[in-house]
Amino acid sequence: MTSRPLISILDADPELGAGLSGDARDLARRHAVAAVHALPTGPFEFPSPNGESAAPAIGLLVLDGLITRDVELAKRSTTELLGQGDVIRPWDDELSLEPLPGSVTWSVLEPARVAVLDRRFAAVAGRWPSMLDTLVGRTVRRSRQLSVQRAIAQVPRVDARVLVLLWLLADRWGRVSPQGVRVPLSLTHETIGKLVGARRPSVTTALGVLTRRGLVERTDNGWLLHGDPQEALPELL
C-alpha cells in the first residue's frame, strides 16, 4: 500500500459537500481531510488503519478504481463489485463468517485509491451532519445493491441473469453513446458468474446468446448494451 499526502475529501468526492454552502463548505474543504492510499491490481489484504487497540474507523472511501470482495463457502463463491463512492471496512471480515468454514478475499481489478476515514475525520465531519448523512446513505445503497444481486441469482435463465446484471451495472457505471450504453468494466466471464451465481461455462453460453440477439457486445474496455431492457427482459424472464 503506497501512502500519499492528505487530501480534501470534498475535492475528491464533491457529493459529500452537496448539503453545504458558503463558509461551511470552505471550512469542511479545509478541515475534512484524509490520507489516501494507492492500491495496485491483484489480491490485497487491508490492515485496520487504527491498529488493534484503537476504536474502529468509519472505513475506507473508494475514490476510484474497481475492487471485488469474494466470499467462498462450501466450494462456491460469490462476488461483490465495489467502486467510486463505496465505503468499505475490510478488516471486519475475519468475524463475518464465524463459525462457518468459509473465507473472504479482496482483489483490486483496476488500480484504485482509497481515503482512510479514521477517528480524526469522524470527529471533524461531525460538525457537518450532511456529510455523515451521505456516507450512511452510501452504506445503505451498498446493502440494497446486494439485495438486488441476490434476487438476480434466483432468476432461472442464466442469460436473463447476465443481462439484468449488465443493465444494473450500467445504471451506475454506464455511459450513453450513439451506439448504445457503454459499461467500461473489463469483467471476466468468471467474475460475471460469481456476480450472478452461475458457472463460467454457463456465462459464456449466455453471453453468446445475448450477442447473437444483438443485446450485448464485447468492447475493448467493457461491454456495449443495445436496445431497451424493458422490452428485452420480459422475453427472457
Side-chain angles (χ1 to χ4, degrees):
M1 181 183 287
T2 302
S3 183
R4 294 184 178 179
L6 296 177
I7 64 163
S8 167
I9 289 297
L10 294 195
D11 286 345
D13 192 337
E15 185 184 18
L16 292 177
L20 304 176
S21 61
D23 293 342
R25 185 179 181 88
D26 291 338
L27 280 172
R29 182 177 177 276
R30 291 199 303 270
H31 296 288
V33 298
V36 176
H37 297 270
L39 309 180
T41 57
F44 201 86
E45 295 183 3
F46 297 74
S48 171
N50 291 316
E52 295 180 358
S53 61
I58 293 176
L60 303 177
L61 174 64
V62 182
L63 300 179
D64 50 40
L66 203 60
I67 298 171
T68 59
R69 178 179 183 265
D70 290 274
V71 178
E72 184 173 347
L73 185 65
K75 298 183 179 180
R76 297 298 296 268
S77 60
T78 184
T79 292
E80 180 184 5
L81 199 62
L82 300 150
Q84 183 179 17
D86 285 317
V87 178
I88 58 178
R89 292 173 57 90
W91 49 87
D92 290 339
D93 274 339
E94 60 187 43
L95 302 176
S96 62
L97 288 177
E98 290 186 354
L100 302 174
S103 63
V104 179
T105 57
W106 294 75
S107 295
V108 179
L109 294 188
E110 297 177 3
R113 293 182 306 143
V114 294
V116 182
L117 305 186
D118 55 15
R119 295 173 65 192
R120 179 194 175 282
F121 174 85
V124 172
R127 298 178 58 186
W128 302 285
S130 63
M131 292 180 62
L132 298 180
D133 286 346
T134 302
L135 289 171
V136 171
R138 301 273 181 86
T139 64
V140 173
R141 178 189 69 182
R142 181 181 168 192
S143 174
R144 289 173 176 167
Q145 287 176 334
L146 283 173
S147 296
V148 174
Q149 189 174 325
R150 288 183 61 189
I152 291 173
Q154 303 304 311
V155 174
R157 292 181 54 166
V158 177
D159 53 354
R161 293 186 215 172
V162 172
L163 187 60
V164 172
L165 172 73
L166 290 176
W167 277 107
L168 180 66
L169 298 178
D171 185 56
R172 178 172 178 182
W173 281 285
R175 299 290 184 273
V176 177
S177 73
Q179 295 76 32
V181 179
R182 296 188 178 276
V183 185
L185 303 174
S186 298
L187 304 176
T188 66
H189 292 191
E190 182 178 5
T191 298
I192 292 174
K194 291 179 180 179
L195 287 166
V196 301
R199 300 288 189 179
R200 183 192 57 78
S202 298
V203 171
T204 300
T205 300
L207 284 168
V209 171
L210 296 174
T211 299
R212 289 191 293 273
R213 295 190 59 175
L215 299 174
V216 173
E217 182 180 344
R218 192 74 166 94
T219 64
D220 291 339
N221 67 336
W223 305 89
L224 181 63
L225 306 184
H226 300 288
D228 184 344
Q230 298 292 338
E231 297 177 359
L233 287 173
E235 300 179 15
L236 299 176
L237 297 175

